[in-house]
Amino acid sequence: MITTDFVPGSPCWLDLGAPDVRAAAAFYGAVLGWDYESMGEGQDMEGGMFRKDGRIVAGLGKLTEEGARPAWMIYHSVTDADATTEAVQRGGGTVRVAPMDLDEWGRMAQYSDPLGGQFAVWQPGTTKGVELVDKPGSLCWTELYTSDAAAAKEFYGGVFGWQFGDMQLPGGGGTYALITPAGQPEERMHGGLMELPKENLALADGRPYWHPVFAVEDCDAAVAKVTENGGSVQMGPDDAEGVGRLAVCLDPANADFVVLTPVES
């Protein structure tokens, strides 16, 4: 589970790069019940925050990078963004955005793993991360699809110290690796990674990619909202034993995410 104490290596923030901020705000408002709070709009900057029940659950910004695809960026909490940057480079990763201060809120950096999967880190200042997780309408899990699970484990294990535990998916669906922050018990698992053929990674032109999983009260109702509001469904809704009912979705700009109604504990 993801919690808001944000131990090192755990997901703490996420934001969406969208070509049309207003359209994205309307879509996620309809699907997840989010309210959008603009932080000012201008020619060079357009974006703001998503809130659920008054608490911040994600950020939203206009996609400005040349050739970039609309996508969610997941940030992991670190104690030292500069040291993490050195670890990324030692492991064969690439620095996309060098560590930089965002006023008193914190320090951030963005990277690509050795196969091209993009991720980010957040060194907290006054802002620790999102304010609501593991509840309907908020982040409850993160996932990496990659063409080389062993290489991903080696890289991310070196950068974050993550612990991995493999499980076999039913029906010969392959191996799924569960991710737990360094030194934390299994109940603090926050994500997973799965190996897929490159042809199944077409969204990112064969490169790995991370996506968020959002908890919802009713997966089928959420999927109906996705399609009613211009999105599409890649997979599901399906029941996953011991996990819940889930569907892999695309928003109208083709940014991917998952909606999950977890099993009752």
Side-chain angles (χ1 to χ4, degrees):
M1 63 183 295
I2 297 175
T3 65
T4 53
D5 61 356
F6 303 131
V7 297
S10 64
C12 65
W13 182 261
L14 69 163
D15 53 39
L16 174 67
D20 186 330
V21 167
R22 290 182 179 87
F27 173 81
Y28 287 97
V31 173
L32 296 173
W34 288 351
D35 297 312
Y36 175 62
E37 179 181 290
S38 174
M39 295 187 68
E41 299 179 2
Q43 185 174 359
D44 298 323
M45 178 61 73
E46 184 179 3
M49 302 293 178
F50 283 119
R51 292 182 182 268
K52 176 72 173 179
D53 300 329
R55 288 183 280 182
I56 295 173
V57 290
L60 172 62
K62 188 170 180 65
L63 187 67
T64 57
E65 184 179 343
E66 187 79 23
R69 76 176 184 96
W72 284 96
M73 179 70 72
I74 297 171
Y75 294 71
H76 296 88
S77 186
V78 296
T79 56
D80 187 332
D82 296 272
T84 302
T85 298
E86 293 175 4
V88 166
Q89 292 173 315
R90 284 196 305 269
T94 303
V95 179
R96 300 182 62 249
V97 178
M100 59 183 290
D101 292 322
L102 297 181
D103 296 325
E104 73 280 5
W105 301 323
R107 188 166 172 81
M108 61 82 69
Q110 294 185 358
Y111 316 106
S112 293
D113 68 26
L115 294 177
Q118 297 182 1
F119 67 105
V121 299
W122 179 254
Q123 178 184 327
T126 58
T127 299
K128 308 302 181 188
V130 293
E131 298 171 348
L132 182 68
V133 295
D134 210 39
K135 300 291 184 184
S138 68
L139 183 71
C140 68
W141 193 252
T142 63
E143 264 183 345
L144 173 67
Y145 290 167
T146 180
S147 57
D148 191 334
K153 290 178 184 178
E154 182 178 359
F155 173 76
Y156 289 102
V159 171
F160 294 120
W162 285 345
Q163 306 164 126
F164 299 97
D166 287 349
M167 61 175 284
Q168 296 302 311
L169 295 175
T175 302
Y176 191 86
L178 299 162
I179 304 170
T180 305
Q184 296 296 311
E186 286 188 354
E187 57 263 28
R188 294 300 304 271
M189 288 175 184
H190 65 252
L193 68 86
M194 185 173 179
E195 182 170 306
L196 296 170
K198 283 190 175 182
E199 55 266 27
N200 290 6
L201 303 175
L203 272 180
D205 297 323
R207 296 186 304 274
Y209 56 90
W210 287 92
H211 59 216
V213 179
F214 298 118
V216 293
E217 291 182 350
D218 185 328
C219 179
D220 294 76
V223 166
K225 289 292 186 182
V226 167
T227 56
E228 287 169 10
N229 288 275
S232 58
V233 180
Q234 285 194 304
M235 186 193 78
D238 291 320
D239 293 317
E241 185 178 355
V243 177
R245 189 161 175 82
L246 58 87
V248 182
C249 304
L250 299 176
D251 71 18
N254 281 345
D256 54 303
F257 63 99
V258 175
V259 289
L260 167 67
T261 300
V263 292
E264 293 185 9
S265 56

